[in-house]
Amino acid sequence: MTKEEFIAELAEEMEIETTVTAETNFQELDEWDSMGMMVLIGFVSEKFEVSLNAEDIAKLTTFESLIDKIGVDKFS
Amino acid sequence: MAMKKNDLKGKNILVTGATSGIGKGICIALLSQGARVIGIGRDESKVSDLSFEDNKFLFLPYDLNNIDGIEGLFQNNSVAQEKLDGLVLCAGKEETVPLSLYKGDKIKSLFNLNLFSGIELLRIFSKKKFSKDNSSVVFFSSVMGELGQPGKVGYCATKSAVLGVVNSASLELAKRKIRVNAVSPGVVATPMTKKLFSQLSDENVKQIEEMHPLGIGQIEDVVPTVLFLLSDDSKWITGQNIKIDGGYSIQ
């Protein structure tokens, strides 16, 4: 999965209606709430077997920072 | 009336989920009362600290996700040696998955462990060659068996289904005076809960704590009710769901 595919699929799962890029701060999106966080944790766990917790996510801002947290080497 | 409270000495009890949390707490309590315990769990090293008299504790390392192999465990000579007086089904998994990501395989896997393994164990236990008349079965449901929370479709469904099993099996096994009951804990401080809390924000954790009027439970808050249900003191109680939740479900 490329970074672009990851961001597009995650945005789809989170039902984000605006256009997002790697630089978008997901915490500032209208759609970001506790369910959104649950979807993000579940999606990342399913695709990468990486378990993020609420503390990890609180430190993240942009999709790029999320990708860094997951590990850039896991993307093609 | 002569009272001999919760006498479990010499009883032969099988406990699943024996390596951690409430299951392990039950094993320790049973052993301290002189019961013989057969524990099932995945990781034997987690019970190496249990102290007991010789031959009182038998550990069978087994992954209950593998339903088809469960009957084979009962053929094990040391299990079949003496009929069981009790079965405690503690093994279970908690997971938070939003509905939009809950595909068939994922939810089936949760049902496998939380429900189907218990039904299979009960099926085998219910045969005369493995259990005594007047024996007792304790299933673990949860307050989530009757209530809900976002992200818990799977967990709530499995725990709710457990209550259905208890209702039906208690009637089916009444002929042999075998009792089948459920206990439904609220949030108890165990390794499973620790994992759950690590995925939540501090604010969410605080909310969960505040939902329990008597605070979060401890393992020793749950164990005595299970011992009671296993003992002959509860011989007229069957098909019940006993909530042990610090008042969580009354609100």
Side-chain angles (χ1 to χ4, degrees):
Chain A
M1 183 184 277
T2 66
K3 291 183 194 177
E4 291 72 27
E5 285 165 347
F6 168 70
I7 294 169
E9 278 191 41
L10 177 56
E12 162 107 30
E13 287 295 346
M14 291 170 68
E15 302 190 317
I16 297 168
E17 288 178 351
T18 49
T19 310
V20 297
T21 65
E23 286 76 40
T24 306
N25 183 339
F26 59 80
Q27 312 244 20
E28 288 171 356
L29 293 167
D30 285 346
E31 291 88 351
W32 182 247
D33 59 8
S34 60
M35 272 317 284
M37 183 161 90
M38 206 183 276
V39 170
L40 189 153
I41 292 174
F43 184 75
V44 170
S45 155
E46 187 186 299
K47 297 285 176 192
F48 301 96
E49 292 184 1
V50 171
S51 303
L52 299 174
N53 60 37
E55 250 171 50
D56 296 329
I57 289 171
K59 289 178 200 150
L60 302 175
T61 51
T62 60
F63 285 100
E64 188 73 49
S65 69
L66 173 62
I67 288 166
D68 288 340
K69 177 73 192 172
I70 294 165
V72 179
D73 53 319
K74 294 197 173 71
F75 294 85
S76 54
Chain B
M1 188 175 104
M3 290 285 285
K4 210 172 177 194
K5 202 167 155 254
N6 291 0
D7 188 10
L8 294 161
K9 195 170 166 55
K11 291 219 185 215
N12 196 24
I13 316 276
L14 192 150
V15 182
T16 72
T19 52
S20 171
I22 296 172
K24 189 173 181 182
I26 291 166
C27 289
I28 293 168
L30 286 170
L31 289 167
S32 76
Q33 299 214 7
R36 176 172 174 260
V37 178
I38 300 163
I40 296 178
R42 280 174 302 181
D43 185 356
E44 185 155 16
S45 67
K46 289 190 187 163
V47 289
S48 56
D49 56 329
L50 289 193
S51 60
F52 47 87
E53 293 166 51
D54 285 349
N55 305 321
K56 287 287 189 198
F57 184 61
L58 171 69
F59 184 79
L60 301 173
Y62 190 78
D63 182 351
L64 289 169
N65 284 298
N66 175 13
I67 308 280
D68 293 340
I70 293 176
E71 191 156 13
L73 284 177
F74 281 75
Q75 312 299 343
N76 176 315
N77 285 334
S78 26
V79 178
Q81 203 176 45
E82 200 184 330
K83 289 186 186 184
L84 290 163
D85 296 284
L87 173 65
V88 184
L89 300 151
C90 267
K93 191 179 154 194
E94 210 272 352
E95 65 183 17
T96 306
V97 178
L99 190 54
S100 64
L101 295 176
Y102 239 142
K103 292 190 186 153
D105 283 349
K106 191 155 182 67
I107 203 153
K108 271 186 204 155
S109 139
L110 193 71
F111 265 87
N112 221 19
L113 180 64
N114 286 8
L115 182 68
F116 300 143
S117 74
I119 295 176
E120 176 68 357
L121 281 154
L122 179 63
R123 181 184 77 79
I124 302 159
F125 173 90
S126 70
K127 296 183 179 193
K128 278 187 180 166
K129 60 177 171 177
F130 293 124
S131 57
K132 293 182 199 159
D133 289 354
N134 303 303
S135 55
S136 170
V137 180
V138 182
F139 272 89
F140 268 76
S141 180
S142 158
V143 286
M144 287 299 126
E146 291 186 359
L147 302 171
Q149 238 172 36
K152 293 288 193 299
V153 163
Y155 190 70
C156 290
T158 60
K159 292 302 182 181
S160 186
V162 163
L163 298 177
V165 173
V166 167
N167 286 344
S168 184
S170 61
L171 294 173
E172 202 166 324
L173 300 176
K175 201 168 62 182
R176 289 182 57 210
K177 303 267 192 260
I178 294 175
R179 300 175 296 107
V180 186
N181 292 289
V183 293
S184 285
V187 175
V188 176
T190 63
M192 189 172 94
T193 313
K194 208 173 155 192
K195 188 173 163 244
L196 163 73
F197 280 2
S198 73
Q199 292 162 2
L200 302 174
S201 65
D202 290 348
E203 192 192 346
N204 275 349
V205 171
K206 196 157 170 270
Q207 276 172 355
I208 292 174
E209 285 170 357
E210 282 170 357
M211 282 153 91
H212 295 74
L214 298 179
I216 296 280
Q218 301 299 318
I219 290 169
E220 64 261 29
D221 295 329
V222 177
V223 172
T225 305
V226 177
L227 299 189
F228 170 66
L229 289 173
L230 287 172
S231 78
D232 296 337
D233 290 346
S234 58
K235 67 184 171 60
W236 208 43
I237 300 176
T238 195
Q240 300 304 303
N241 172 27
I242 301 181
K243 290 167 197 154
I244 315 169
D245 64 358
Y248 180 104
S249 61
I250 212 70
Q251 299 167 92

